[in-house]
Amino acid sequence: MLKQQKKLILDEAQRESMRRAGRVNARLMDFIRPHVVAGVTTQSIDDLVAQWTRDHGHVPATLGYQNYPKSCCVSVNEVICHGIPGPYELQPGDIVNVDITTIVDGWHGDQSETFLIDEVSEERRAVTQCAFDCLYLAIEALTPGCRVSEIGETIVPEAHQRGFTVVREYVGHGLGRQFHLDPSIPHYPNRESRSDRLFPGMCFTVEPMINAGTRYTRCDKQDGWTVRTKDGLPSAQFEHTLLMTEEGPEILTLTENGPRRGHQF
Ligand code: MF3
Ligand code: CO
Ligand code: CO
C-alpha cells in the first residue's frame, strides 16, 4: 500500500518529463485543430496525428493499446468516447471529440477537445459548453492533498443543473510511464474517490463525459470500442493531463491556440 502510493509521487526530474510529454501533446492538438472541419474524414485526422507524432520522434499511445487500431480517438455526436477513425466525413452540425495521447521518452500526455463543425444545434452547443465548464470547475476545486471526490462533487451538480448527465462507466486516470494508472478519477463521487487523495507529485487526467440525455452507455458489439449514448442523444468531453504540485494543480496539456478557461462556444 505505502509502496504503491510512493510510486505515484513523481520527483522533480520526473515531473519535468511529464511536463514535456504534456507540452508535446498540446502542440499536436494545436496542429490538429484547424484540420477538424466539414468534409474531412475522421481517418484523415488520424493520419495527421500519426504523421506529426512520428515526424517529431514520438509514439501514439493508443495504437495497439489493448489492440486498439488507430493513433487517436474521434467521437462524433452520440459517440461518447473511443470512436475509431474511419471513412465518415464530418458534416456541418456535428460535434466531434478528438482525444490524443502521445508517449514522449516513455511518458504520457493525454488530452481531448470537442469541436463544433460550423453551426450546431443549441443542444449540441450547450452539452459541449457544459463539458468544458465542468472540466475547469473541477480543476479549480483541486488543492494539494484533496480528495479525488472533489471532482465528482463539482461536476455532477453542475451538469444536473443544466439538465445534463454524467457518464460513470468511463473515468479519468493516473498516468505517467503507463497510460492508465491508479487512482481512478471518476467524474461522480463514489466510495473509492472519497478516500483517494491527490498529493503533490501525482499526475492524472480529468476528462468529464457529459450527455444531453441519459447517462447510460452502450459499447459497439461489432468493433468492441465505440461507446455511444443509450438514447442516441449527443455527448461531449474535454480532457487535460494535470500535475498536482505543492501550490495546486498544474495543467500540463494547455494549448497556445485552444479554448481557455471561460471560453464560450
Ligand atoms: N485517451 C483515452 C483516455 O483518455 C483512452 C483511449 S484508449 C483507446 O483515457 F484504446 F481507446 F484508444
Ligand atoms: Co484521452
Ligand atoms: Co485519459
Side-chain angles (χ1 to χ4, degrees), residues 99 101 110-111 207 239:
D99 190 337
T101 313
D110 187 9
Q111 77 195 105
E207 48 182 302
E239 173 177 28

Side-chain angles (χ1 to χ4, degrees), residues 34-212:
H35 296 283
V36 186
V37 293
V40 308
T41 65
T42 57
Q43 178 61 51
S44 72
I45 295 169
D46 194 75
D47 292 341
L48 290 166
V49 169
Q51 187 69 45
W52 190 98
T53 305
R54 295 236 167 64
D55 287 351
H56 289 77
H58 308 302
V59 177
T62 60
L63 189 60
Y65 176 79
Q66 295 183 1
N67 292 318
Y68 183 80
K70 300 287 176 174
S71 298
C72 66
C73 298
V74 182
S75 303
V76 181
N77 298 334
E78 79 286 1
V79 179
I80 296 168
C81 62
H82 303 168
I84 303 174
Y88 178 78
E89 274 182 26
L90 297 180
Q91 298 184 23
D94 284 345
I95 56 172
V96 51
N97 177 276
V98 179
D99 190 337
I100 301 172
T101 313
T102 309
I103 310 176
V104 178
D105 296 332
W107 298 83
H108 290 71
D110 187 9
Q111 77 195 105
S112 83
E113 277 179 31
T114 297
F115 299 91
L116 279 52
I117 307 299
D118 303 329
E119 292 290 309
V120 311
S121 71
E122 175 53 21
E123 181 182 59
R124 288 177 181 180
R125 188 204 63 77
V127 77
T128 302
Q129 186 74 54
C130 184
F132 185 79
D133 293 343
C134 282
L135 170 60
Y136 279 91
L137 285 169
I139 292 171
E140 279 164 26
L142 299 178
T143 54
C146 72
R147 293 173 203 273
V148 170
S149 56
E150 289 293 336
I151 293 166
E153 277 156 10
T154 304
I155 290 175
V156 169
E158 184 66 27
H160 287 179
Q161 200 186 308
R162 299 190 195 194
F164 300 137
T165 60
V166 180
V167 170
R168 298 174 78 117
E169 290 89 341
Y170 302 88
V171 296
H173 48 92
L175 78 175
R177 283 193 217 269
Q178 280 163 269
F179 196 163
H180 294 109
L181 289 170
D182 282 342
S184 169
I185 310 283
H187 305 98
Y188 59 96
N190 63 5
R191 180 199 266 277
E192 214 187 346
S193 68
R194 285 189 194 95
S195 63
D196 286 342
R197 287 182 180 275
L198 297 169
F199 294 112
M202 291 174 71
C203 277
F204 56 93
T205 70
V206 179
E207 48 182 302
M209 287 145 272
I210 305 296
N211 293 352

